[in-house]
Amino acid sequence: MSVIRQPEVLGQTTRRRVIGVTAAIFTTAIEAIAVGSWFLLVVLETRTVSTALAGIGILFCGSLVRASVFGATTSELGDIIQPRRLGTAVFVTAGWTLWLLVAEWVGGVTGVLAAGILLVAMLTGHFSLERRVFHGARPSSRLPRVRCAVVPAFLIATGATALLSSVWFVDWSVVSPPISLETTQIILHIEAVQVGFALFALVMFLAHQQRFTITLEP
């Protein structure tokens, strides 16, 4: 009732939610493009030294842009080209690279699960570091800390595990009957990796929305 009696409080809460959702959408788009392009180059295409380096470069640049969105949304952005802020991009780039290397080195289902656990740990550390660097403060209690770092890290790692599994272990596709549209016939062809990408993007959005919602709370 206290919120209803104070329209300015309700307005501030709504504004924070809108900002959080908008920032989460932009962050998800940036990270999905960066991680997806890297994944395409090093997993779905024939891997060479040049494609590996190009993929890491795209991943790093995407991490920088995503960090700038987080900084601009939650605090005064300042100069993104600072050692600590660059370090957050390097950290998450290394995390994604190690995730794939561990999955390939161990191999099979065990490798995917082990890599997923590693990714949870790396992303938890990254989210905590990023919040400290850009927001300048630690969460005041254990619950916000879990909601700001551990839960988002678990969600993204789950989506990444599903994405990698859709490439390594799932071999199916769905082809629709031809759909006639005047003189053109349209055939929908859905593969497992496309579903994996969609699931990855969905859980990434949920993870970042959670982060922004908690971080923007007064």
Side-chain angles (χ1 to χ4, degrees):
M1 294 298 294
S2 60
V3 174
I4 296 176
R5 291 173 183 174
Q6 301 179 24
E8 67 279 4
V9 175
L10 181 60
Q12 291 174 2
T13 301
T14 303
R15 180 174 178 274
R16 285 197 300 268
R17 289 177 179 175
V18 172
I19 292 174
V21 171
T22 303
I25 291 173
F26 277 105
T27 300
T28 300
I30 293 167
E31 194 160 23
I33 292 173
V35 176
S37 299
W38 167 76
F39 191 84
L40 174 66
L41 288 172
V42 300
V43 176
L44 299 181
E45 300 292 337
T46 302
R47 189 183 308 175
T48 62
V49 174
S50 60
T51 57
L53 291 176
I56 291 176
I58 293 172
L59 195 58
F60 177 75
C61 291
S63 299
L64 272 181
V65 176
R66 188 195 57 75
S68 69
V69 173
F70 181 81
T73 304
T74 62
S75 63
E76 293 183 2
L77 178 59
D79 185 8
I80 188 67
I81 310 300
Q82 293 181 5
R84 291 193 307 168
R85 297 184 175 187
L86 285 173
T88 62
V90 172
F91 190 91
V92 72
T93 301
W96 282 109
T97 304
L98 286 175
W99 166 72
L100 183 59
L101 290 176
V102 168
E104 293 180 340
W105 180 63
V106 177
V109 176
T110 303
V112 173
L113 294 177
I117 294 173
L118 173 64
L119 188 60
V120 171
M122 294 289 291
L123 289 177
T124 298
H126 165 67
F127 291 151
S128 299
L129 175 64
E130 188 175 65
R131 178 184 169 89
R132 189 74 189 278
V133 167
F134 286 96
H135 199 56
R138 292 181 177 177
S140 57
S141 65
R142 180 174 299 178
L143 180 58
R145 189 178 303 118
V146 170
R147 294 170 65 190
C148 281
V150 179
V151 173
F154 178 78
L155 287 172
I156 293 177
T158 300
T161 299
L163 176 59
L164 188 59
S165 299
S166 70
V167 176
W168 283 5
F169 308 128
V170 181
D171 184 18
W172 63 261
S173 61
V174 176
V175 181
S176 70
I179 302 174
S180 298
L181 186 61
E182 294 184 354
T183 60
T184 305
Q185 283 192 337
I186 300 176
I187 298 178
L188 299 178
H189 187 192
I190 301 176
E191 297 182 350
V193 65
Q194 295 170 337
V195 177
F197 268 115
L199 178 61
F200 179 59
L202 174 61
V203 297
M204 187 179 295
F205 169 76
L206 296 176
H208 287 303
Q209 184 186 26
Q210 172 95 336
R211 293 187 68 215
F212 283 113
T213 298
I214 302 302
T215 304
L216 290 172
E217 287 181 351

